[in-house]
Structures are given as structure tokens and as C-alpha cells.
Amino acid sequence: MRTHVVDHPLVAHKLTTLRDARTDSPTFRRLADELVTLLAYEATRDVRTELVDITTPVAETTGVRLSHPRPLVVPIIRAGLGMLDGMVRLLPTAEVGFLGMIRDEETLQASTYANRMPEDLSGRQVYVLDPMLATGGTLVAAIRELIGRGADDVTVLCLLAAPEGVERLETELSGAPVTVVTGALDERLNEQGFIVPGLGDAGDRMYGTVS
């Protein structure tokens, strides 16, 4: 498994505002959207392409276009939905699937409550959107589901990651075709499984608290 921390001053700048507890939900959503677009440039560096002949206003030439089957973008509901627009802005021809995952706050185990994806992902590059790689349980479950459907190239985009989550993915998905692209690798997890210093609960910061 590869982990790539995007080292860019604009990424650091936007993350700082996202971390700030004073940042309201509309601003948080806008900055998360902008940040995802920056991360997506790195995440799609190895997107598969094919050659295509075209005619410019001046001459014949050869360019590239995204190859088939088209990439699949999979946001993890609900917080991952706040990353979707920023990703499909760069990959407008990609298809979109959805995974609803919920974490038990006592056991920290993830379970699936919604699944809307193609049954066969053979040969597909898949981009998973989840703002926080904390304990890693949600992403391990999600990636296993994707690989079980035939995905052979999975890239995870996270705003933040914790060392414990990265280590869990490396251990439980050893040998799997997985790349993690994140805006920062933070210090640790606290006793409640939150990233420190982190930015709090990404879903609540984006959409407010739903009781």
C-alpha cells in the first residue's frame, strides 16, 4: 500500500481553516470541496488513458482520453458526499457509486447500511472518498467490498489521516492494490477514536449534528 501526503501550501492553508472550530458549516463545505480538487490532481496522476487521433484547427495530432471502463468514484456516506463535487469536477465522465457505512462508537467497528455499486468492477480504477482515515475500520470494510467485486486499483482520498489508521490499512490489506492520498498525517488517535489534532467530526462540521 502506498501513502502520499500532499505537501502544498494551498493544501496546508485550507486545512488550517478546516481545523479551526470557529469555521461554520457553509465555509467548511466550500473549503473541503476546494481541498478535494487539489488532492484529486495527485490522486489521478496514474489514471488510465488511451491514445486518440484528433484534428485541431491547424493539424492532425494524437492526444489522450480516459480509457474504458470509466473510473468509479465512491463517496462513503455521509461525510464523503461533501467531497464528491470536488472529485467529479476533475473526472466528469466518471461513474459514481455509493457506500453507506456506520461506525459503532463503542466497538469502533464499521458496518454497511447502503450499497449502490456495479456488481462487477473488474478492470475499474476506483476512487474512494472519506474525509477522515481514523481507526481505519470503515475504509478496510469498504475496500474489501470493492476488491471483492473485482476492483484492481483503489485510491482513497482523505482530508486527514492518523498513523493508526494507515497502519491498519497496511496490515489488513497487505498486498492489495491500494493508494492513500491525504492532506496531512496527524499525530494520533485519542481514546474516542478521533484524530488529534484533527478537525472534529467531519460529517457534523459539514452538515450539522443530526440526532
Side-chain angles (χ1 to χ4, degrees), residues 163-180:
E164 295 91 335
V166 172
E167 182 179 358
R168 182 170 181 178
L169 262 63
E170 291 175 341
T171 299
E172 298 195 25
L173 300 172
S174 177
V178 177
T179 299
V180 174

Side-chain angles (χ1 to χ4, degrees), residues 70-198:
R70 290 181 291 172
L72 181 71
V73 177
V74 180
I76 305 297
I77 301 171
R78 72 178 163 139
L81 291 175
M83 303 172 69
L84 181 58
D85 286 348
M87 187 68 189
V88 298
R89 186 175 297 118
L90 284 188
L91 289 176
T93 61
E95 294 184 342
V96 178
F98 297 92
L99 268 177
M101 311 286 291
I102 190 168
R103 186 179 75 162
D104 187 303
E105 296 303 328
E106 292 185 2
T107 66
L108 303 183
Q109 296 299 308
S111 59
T112 302
Y113 67 86
N115 188 326
R116 183 71 173 177
M117 292 189 302
E119 288 296 328
D120 185 7
L121 296 177
S122 300
R124 300 285 290 268
Q125 286 182 294
V126 182
Y127 296 90
V128 180
L129 310 179
D130 196 8
M132 314 295 282
L133 171 50
T135 65
T138 297
L139 281 172
V140 166
I143 292 168
R144 282 177 173 163
E145 176 71 26
L146 296 168
I147 292 175
R149 293 174 181 241
D152 65 358
D153 188 333
V154 179
T155 300
V156 178
L157 279 76
C158 298
L159 304 181
L160 293 177
E164 295 91 335
V166 172
E167 182 179 358
R168 182 170 181 178
L169 262 63
E170 291 175 341
T171 299
E172 298 195 25
L173 300 172
S174 177
V178 177
T179 299
V180 174
V181 177
T182 183
L185 185 62
D186 274 13
E187 297 174 10
R188 59 182 174 84
L189 296 179
N190 64 16
E191 294 77 7
Q192 291 75 42
F194 282 95
I195 299 175
V196 178

